[in-house]
Amino acid sequence: MEAQHEPESLSSPQLAAVRRSMTNGRMALTRRSLLRAGGAGALAVGGLGALGGCGIPPAGRTEADNASDDHSADEKRVNFSNWTEYMDVGKGNRHPTLDAFQRRTGIKVKYTEDINDNVEFFGKIKPQLAAGQDTGRDLICVTDWLAARMIRLGWMQPLDPANLPHAYTRLGQGFRNPDWDPGRAHSYPWTGIPAVIAYNKKATGGRKVTSVSQLLEDPKLKGRVGLLTEMRDTVGLTLLDMGKRPEDVTAEEYDAAIARLQKASDRGQIRRFTGNDYTGDLTKGDLAACMAWAGDLIQLQADNPEIEFAIPDAGYMTATDNLLIPNKARHKKNAERLIDYFYEPKVAAKIAAYINYVCPVDGVRDELAKIDKKLADNPLILPDEEMAAKSHAFRSLSSKEETAFEDKFAKLTGA
């Protein structure tokens, strides 16, 4: 329980990292970022302030206090907040999977695309969560670091496995036990977000680039290498290349990885640290090779046959966006039924075919092949066993650790 009363204010380095992520990092991914570029994705000052001054949850609040007075039986509805363009879309801008759920269950889904970035969204719901009030949302989708924070604060409800038979049995092995939510007691992944290596064959003269060592040390790539502005992805991939595990990284190992990156930067190996704006430079060949997010690469390869990706033998990094039920949600059981519905293979395949990120649901290959065989064979959407075994996640950091780690990374990147 002590961890729930840990002060949650963000330090200057943490806030700087959030700003980087808002403008061009993993919080501004591919299809979503394109639609948010008009201003909806701009960081609201109030949102940052709300996260920075998150505060301490009221003392004495128990799990029973946080439980919802569930109205699912008499109110056949569920309110679901998600990111823009993170659901399948059909004729008339309808969402076929949600329509089918409503027809089957009689539960009306109010689907709102009001998550433009994690921090801004948290700013919207934080006052109600802190006060122990209903946010007006039964189901939300946020990135792992924010999910971890809200679970730690005691603001997300534990899920009832009895209402999640498909999710419980179909959840992919690699997603089952994150250190921030052991056994997925409060969350289920919506999708995985891998960070791998990409290169432009024309720019490399036909040479393959398959390791971080090549990115940091190959003289033929000097000045044409891009690394990511997301600390966990860039440092995590570097740690793996050094034979270290991001899952249990020590401060000393982290410092060694930073020193290695600094050395490469000092000798001009790295052109720049980028968010997903690396896509244009990679396509043009200004970047010969870079760290990249899998969701970008599927579209890049469709547009440019010179683009290739590589899964390093040492492993790659994966983050997740996750479904959670806030405290005091009025329709908890209905929300759990919706989570479970998304883990039915036919439904999961339709969503994966549209959003193009890693599907966390086992057994979707045949269903996805009916939609698009190329997508079903793409390991960036359905990792094979060999690729799945190479997936790693950066361990949860305390507020003090995150401040120190982000400060050192910011000095490296010049942010």
Side-chain angles (χ1 to χ4, degrees), residues 19 22 27 63 80 147 154 182 219 235 237 246-247 306 373 404:
R19 289 188 183 97
M22 285 312 131
M27 293 181 202
E63 190 169 281
F80 180 14
V235 178
L237 284 166
E247 291 89 340
E306 299 294 340
K373 190 175 186 306

Side-chain angles (χ1 to χ4, degrees), residues 282-302:
L282 184 64
T283 298
K284 290 184 294 185
D286 292 343
L287 288 176
C290 62
M291 296 177 179
W293 290 302
D296 294 326
L297 297 178
I298 294 171
Q299 186 59 52
L300 283 179
Q301 288 185 311

Side-chain angles (χ1 to χ4, degrees), residues 173-174 311 316 362 365 378-379 382-391:
Q173 192 62 40
I311 308 301
Y316 65 98
D362 277 345
R365 184 175 301 279
N378 194 322
L382 297 181
D384 54 27
E385 288 186 14
E386 182 180 2
M387 179 173 169
K390 295 180 180 179
S391 173

Side-chain angles (χ1 to χ4, degrees), residues 76-94:
K76 304 292 280 185
R77 66 177 70 103
V78 60
N79 300 322
F80 180 14
S81 284
N82 204 353
W83 299 79
T84 301
E85 286 289 283
Y86 227 16
M87 182 70 68
D88 61 315
V89 178
K91 293 181 180 179
N93 212 31
R94 302 286 300 178

Side-chain angles (χ1 to χ4, degrees), residues 397-410:
L397 301 174
S398 69
S399 184
K400 183 178 180 180
E401 285 178 319
E402 187 164 356
T403 296
F405 282 21
E406 287 288 6
D407 186 45
K408 291 170 181 176
F409 189 69

Side-chain angles (χ1 to χ4, degrees), residues 8 26-27 51 83 115 118-119 121-122 125 129 140-157 178-182 184-191 232 319-326 396 402:
E8 290 294 316
R26 196 169 60 205
M27 293 181 202
L51 188 55
W83 299 79
I115 304 181
N118 288 284
V119 174
F121 180 68
F122 187 69
I125 64 175
L129 291 171
I140 62 175
C141 181
V142 297
T143 305
D144 45 20
W145 67 267
L146 181 56
R149 183 178 293 272
M150 293 195 293
I151 291 171
R152 186 166 67 243
L153 286 165
W155 289 352
M156 296 293 112
Q157 295 197 56
D179 65 354
W180 50 269
D181 189 22
R184 289 288 180 180
H186 302 82
S187 69
Y188 270 88
W190 177 249
T191 195
R232 287 168 176 80
T320 52
D321 282 339
N322 309 274
L323 300 172
L324 303 99
I325 300 175
S396 295
E402 187 164 356

Side-chain angles (χ1 to χ4, degrees), residues 92-107:
N93 212 31
R94 302 286 300 178
H95 302 292
T97 55
L98 295 182
D99 290 346
F101 175 80
Q102 292 175 142
R103 288 194 299 270
R104 181 198 297 182
T105 64
I107 298 170

